[in-house]
């Protein structure tokens, strides 16, 4: 048997070892605890490029907010956008991409892609949901502006290299999985040492008494058994605590941490982004304000050059001619003003290919009725432009369209009574002929006058034309047709129709006279050879879902004189 002195030495050793183990566990939670953050920097020897992309997966690499510090010469910007939007804007331009962090956590991993040496300045692009401008240095807290993935684009002016001094500070993993097991183990060792010391003391006291009587020996044996039993229960309790603590640590370790693996977020990144509207509300309002401001500036100066940045297509053509006519005919009615408020509704698609089309319905100062505005972004590096303004027909209700709705190809009839092409062609035929086959398939509201007024005007011109023969055509401009799915499964179809008005004298020497508005474009009021007037008609038609017995309805319509000439 082990002697009492050896037992005491062993007990002391256990207590000391337990103290050291306990202190080691406490130290992991205090003086040796990991830093709450760590910082990684871009290598100093990277290749220069005009653009730097910071991959969206870095934002969620370790959970929590990521802080970015950028240093560079002169002015630069940091823009946030959807990953596919950023990629589309970067295009074929040479760029660096910050893709990850090295294993030691000290360096950012940067990939370089060769390409075009310069790019336009990304400042002011409608693709960015937010932009931070800086000079010399920028400190930025990377938080998502909305659900989904967001990538950052860093650039100077597109011609100079993007700032190369980039560091990112991430939340660190502060878990200490060995702290609790070490503290529990240290406590067990201390307890074991104390138990062993107590038993040794009892043993030494027993030896001093000699063997004693049989009764005394049995009493000591029972006492030692009871002591051992109690100490065993305490030890078992501590072991239970250790097991529970260990299980808690294991459970904590098993909890999924934010992953840097794109595959782990693939359903959110791929599926969510595919269904994301192309504009957030804040983006839409900012764009609409800039469009309204450009239109106001152009209207006030009657200068189409001031429209070019934010107005295009049909609306630019109509307003340009409107200014020209009004410079000579003071009584000619101006186009309805473009307002960003009162914003009644917006229509934003989730289809992320270009061109992208969105709609707004506003009724601000000078809008007698609500006005439907169509904005189109032709390509990633172009901003949205107002291509059509279209007052809603009186007595017409604008159809409900869900946010993030889909757009359909003009020839796509899936789920619809008519395709966009068929709807626009039917409307053109209805405007041309009073006996159109679409007479009962496309109607107006009780107080909506556009179709009736057009047919009446054409009929009266023919009847009153004593000296001339007149004809009218309404032809769809196919590339202008845009189709949005409505909430009830139908569709809203928008597009342009070219309205042609031709006149030819009935006999030699007969003269045809045109109005002052047309004369401002034609360069005269009378002709003996014939005349051609051209109008751009902006139209919006509601198409019911397939199986419906309801007719199509004209929702919005207007026209503007865009051309006049003599034959």
């Amino acid at each position: 048997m082990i002697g009492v002195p050896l037992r005491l030495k062993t007990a002391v050793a256990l207590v000391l070892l337990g103290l050291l183990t306990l202190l080691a566990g406490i130290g992991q939670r205090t003086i040796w605890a990991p830093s709450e953050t760590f910082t990684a920097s871009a290598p100093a020897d990277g290749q220069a490029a005009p653009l730097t992309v910071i991959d969206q997966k870095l934002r969620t690499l370790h959970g929590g907010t990521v802080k970015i510090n950028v240093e560079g010469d002169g002015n630069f910007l940091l823009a946030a956008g959807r990953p596919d939007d950023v990629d589309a804007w970067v295009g074929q331009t040479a760029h660096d991409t910050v893709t990850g962090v090295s294993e030691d956590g000290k360096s950012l991993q940067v990939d370089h892609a060769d390409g075009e040496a310069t790019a336009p300045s990304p400042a002011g692009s409608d693709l960015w949901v937010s932009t931070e401008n800086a000079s010399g240095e920028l400190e930025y807290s990377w938080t998502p502006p909305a659900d989904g993935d967001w990538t950052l684009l860093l650039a100077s002016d597109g011609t100079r290299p993007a700032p190369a001094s980039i560091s990112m500070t991430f939340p660190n993993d502060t878990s200490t999985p060995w702290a609790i097991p070490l503290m529990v183990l240290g406590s067990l060792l201390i307890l074991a040492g104390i138990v062993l010391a107590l038993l040794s003391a009892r043993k030494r006291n027993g030896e001093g008494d000699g063997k004693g009587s049989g009764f005394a020996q049995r009493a000591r044996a029972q006492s030692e058994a009871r002591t051992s039993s109690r100490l065993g229960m305490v030890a078992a309790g501590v072991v239970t605590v250790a097991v529970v603590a260990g299980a808690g640590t294991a459970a904590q370790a098993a909890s999924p941490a934010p992953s840097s693996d794109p595959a782990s977020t693939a359903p959110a990144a791929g599926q969510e982004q595919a269904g994301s509207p192309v504009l957030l509300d804040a983006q839409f309002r900012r764009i609409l304000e800039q469009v309204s401001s450009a239109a106001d500036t152009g209207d006030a100066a009657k200068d189409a050059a001031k429209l070019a940045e934010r107005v295009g297509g049909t609306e630019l053509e109509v307003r340009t001619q409107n200014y020209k006519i009004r410079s000579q005919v003071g009584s000619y009615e101006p186009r309805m003003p473009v307002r960003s408020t009162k914003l009644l509704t917006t229509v934003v698609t989730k289809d992320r290919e270009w061109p992208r089309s969105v709609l707004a319905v506003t009724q601000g100062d000078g809008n007698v009725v609500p006005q439907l505005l169509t904005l189109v972004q032709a390509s990633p590096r172009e901003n949205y432009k107002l291509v059509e303004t279209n007052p809603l027909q009186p007595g017409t209700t604008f159809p409900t369209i869900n946010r993030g709705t889909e757009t359909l190809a003009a020839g796509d009839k899936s789920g619809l009574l008519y395709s966009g092409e068929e709807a626009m062609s039917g409307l053109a035929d209805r405007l041309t002929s009073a006996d159109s086959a679409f007479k009962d398939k496309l109607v107006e509201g009780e107080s909506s006058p556009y179709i009736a007024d057009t047919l009446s005007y054409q009929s009266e011109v023919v009847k009153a034309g004593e000296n001339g023969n007149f004809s009218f055509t309404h032809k769809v401009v196919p590339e202008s047709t845009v189709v949005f799915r409505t909430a009830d499964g139908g569709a809203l179809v928008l597009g342009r129709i070219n309205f042609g008005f031709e006149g030819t004298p009935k006999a030699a020497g007969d003269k045809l006279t045109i109005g002052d508005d047309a004369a401002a474009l034609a360069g005269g009021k009378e002709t003996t050879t014939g005349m051609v007037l051209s109008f751009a008609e902006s139209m919006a038609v509601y198409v019911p879902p397939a199986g419906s017995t309801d007719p199509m309805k004209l929702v919005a319509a207007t026209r503007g004189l865009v051309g006049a000439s003599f034959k």
Side-chain angles (χ1 to χ4, degrees):
M1 296 182 62
I2 301 175
V4 171
L6 184 56
R7 287 185 179 182
L8 287 174
K9 290 180 179 178
T10 302
V12 171
L14 287 173
V15 171
L16 290 175
L17 181 60
L19 284 171
L20 292 174
T21 305
L22 179 62
L23 290 173
I26 295 173
Q28 287 204 357
R29 285 294 186 93
T30 55
I31 58 176
W32 300 317
S35 172
E36 292 185 353
T37 62
F38 71 95
T39 299
S41 301
D45 57 352
Q47 291 182 259
L51 307 173
T52 296
V53 176
I54 301 178
D55 194 289
Q56 57 86 19
K57 67 184 179 185
L58 288 170
R59 184 178 62 80
T60 56
L61 188 63
H62 291 279
T65 301
V66 178
K67 296 184 181 299
I68 301 174
N69 181 271
V70 181
E71 295 182 5
D73 297 329
N75 298 325
F76 58 89
L77 64 83
L78 186 69
R82 293 289 188 188
D84 60 334
D85 287 346
V86 174
D87 290 344
W89 195 94
V90 170
Q92 300 301 312
T93 303
H95 62 280
D96 292 327
T97 303
V98 183
T99 59
V101 179
S102 62
E103 291 185 4
D104 62 6
K106 296 181 180 180
S107 299
L108 295 172
Q109 296 171 333
V110 181
D111 295 337
H112 179 79
D114 291 326
E116 298 169 0
T118 62
S121 172
S125 171
D126 287 343
L127 292 183
W128 317 142
V129 68
S130 64
T131 304
E132 296 289 335
N133 296 293
S135 179
E137 185 175 6
L138 171 68
E139 292 184 356
Y140 177 77
S141 294
W142 192 2
T143 55
D147 292 340
D149 296 328
W150 298 92
T151 292
L152 300 180
L153 177 69
L154 178 63
S156 295
D157 61 358
T159 60
R160 295 184 291 114
S165 178
I166 305 170
S167 62
M168 301 180 68
T169 300
F170 300 89
N172 197 18
D173 181 5
T174 58
S175 63
T176 52
W178 285 103
I180 292 178
L182 286 173
M183 287 188 283
V184 171
L185 179 59
S187 300
L188 285 173
L189 290 172
I190 294 171
L191 182 59
I194 294 172
V195 170
L196 185 58
L198 290 175
L199 291 176
S200 299
R202 284 178 171 273
K203 184 68 174 177
R204 183 164 56 184
N205 290 337
E207 288 176 353
D209 293 338
K211 291 185 178 180
S213 66
F215 177 79
Q217 291 179 9
R218 286 194 297 273
R220 280 198 301 272
Q222 291 174 0
S223 176
E224 289 179 359
R226 286 194 296 270
T227 300
S228 298
S229 176
R230 285 196 294 270
L231 292 174
M233 291 174 63
V234 172
V238 174
V239 170
T240 300
V241 171
V243 170
V244 171
T249 304
Q252 184 179 14
S255 299
S259 172
S260 61
D261 181 5
S264 67
T265 57
Q271 297 173 10
E272 183 278 334
Q273 184 169 302
S276 298
V278 296
L279 293 175
L280 298 185
D281 287 342
Q283 283 176 285
F284 199 118
R285 289 180 181 275
R286 183 185 73 221
I287 292 166
L288 196 57
E289 287 171 0
Q290 293 176 2
V291 166
S292 174
S293 177
D296 279 350
T297 302
D299 288 351
K302 297 187 184 69
D303 184 356
K306 298 183 181 300
L307 299 175
E309 186 175 344
R310 281 296 187 176
V311 182
T314 298
E315 195 59 30
L316 179 59
E317 183 181 358
V318 172
R319 269 184 151 76
T320 298
Q321 299 299 68
N322 183 278
Y323 298 161
K324 186 174 181 179
I325 296 170
R326 287 168 57 207
S327 68
Q328 301 179 44
V329 184
S331 61
Y332 191 69
E333 186 176 359
R335 292 286 281 183
M336 189 180 290
V338 177
R339 302 300 185 210
S340 58
T341 58
K342 177 181 175 183
L343 182 58
L344 302 178
T345 190
T346 60
V347 177
V348 180
T349 177
K350 64 182 178 182
D351 297 328
R352 307 190 65 82
E353 298 299 321
W354 281 272
R356 294 175 175 177
S357 299
V358 296
L359 306 177
V361 178
T362 63
Q363 190 175 14
D365 184 32
N367 299 150
V368 180
V369 294
Q371 184 170 212
L372 176 59
L373 310 175
T374 304
L375 292 83
V376 174
Q377 185 182 35
S379 66
R381 288 184 175 177
E382 296 180 75
N383 281 343
Y384 282 90
K385 291 187 176 183
L386 177 69
V387 298
E388 289 185 0
T389 63
N390 209 339
L392 296 188
Q393 288 281 280
T396 299
T397 302
F398 190 78
T400 301
I401 303 179
N402 296 329
R403 180 167 180 79
T405 188
E406 64 175 334
T407 53
L408 304 176
D412 189 350
K413 194 177 177 178
S414 57
L416 300 176
L417 202 58
Y418 302 97
S419 69
E421 287 179 351
E422 292 172 332
M424 291 300 292
S425 295
L427 175 58
D429 188 71
R430 178 84 177 92
L431 291 168
T432 304
S433 172
D435 297 324
S436 167
F438 281 83
K439 181 177 181 179
D440 297 323
K441 298 176 182 178
L442 197 155
V443 301
E444 294 181 301
E446 292 182 2
S447 57
S448 301
Y450 191 87
I451 294 176
D453 285 356
T454 300
L455 291 172
S456 176
Y457 166 73
Q458 293 171 172
S459 176
E460 289 174 3
V461 167
V462 171
K463 290 179 181 178
E466 297 179 357
N467 299 330
N469 297 313
F470 301 99
S471 62
F472 307 91
T473 57
H474 296 265
K475 296 182 179 180
V476 177
V477 179
E479 61 271 20
S480 69
T481 303
V482 181
V483 184
F484 293 90
R485 182 78 72 178
T486 55
D488 63 358
L492 181 67
V493 182
L494 302 99
R496 170 175 173 168
I497 293 175
N498 285 337
F499 174 19
F501 173 8
E502 293 193 30
T504 304
K506 287 185 176 180
D510 285 346
K511 291 182 180 180
L512 300 181
T513 303
I514 58 177
D516 291 340
D517 54 353
L521 301 181
K525 286 184 64 70
E526 294 182 339
T527 177
T528 58
T529 58
M531 42 74 67
V532 177
L533 303 184
S534 299
F535 300 85
E537 295 180 299
S538 295
M539 317 298 284
V541 178
Y542 166 73
V543 177
S548 174
T549 58
D550 294 333
M552 294 184 289
K553 294 180 181 178
L554 186 63
V555 174
T558 191
R559 75 169 63 97
L561 181 63
V562 294
S565 61
F566 297 132
K567 292 182 178 181

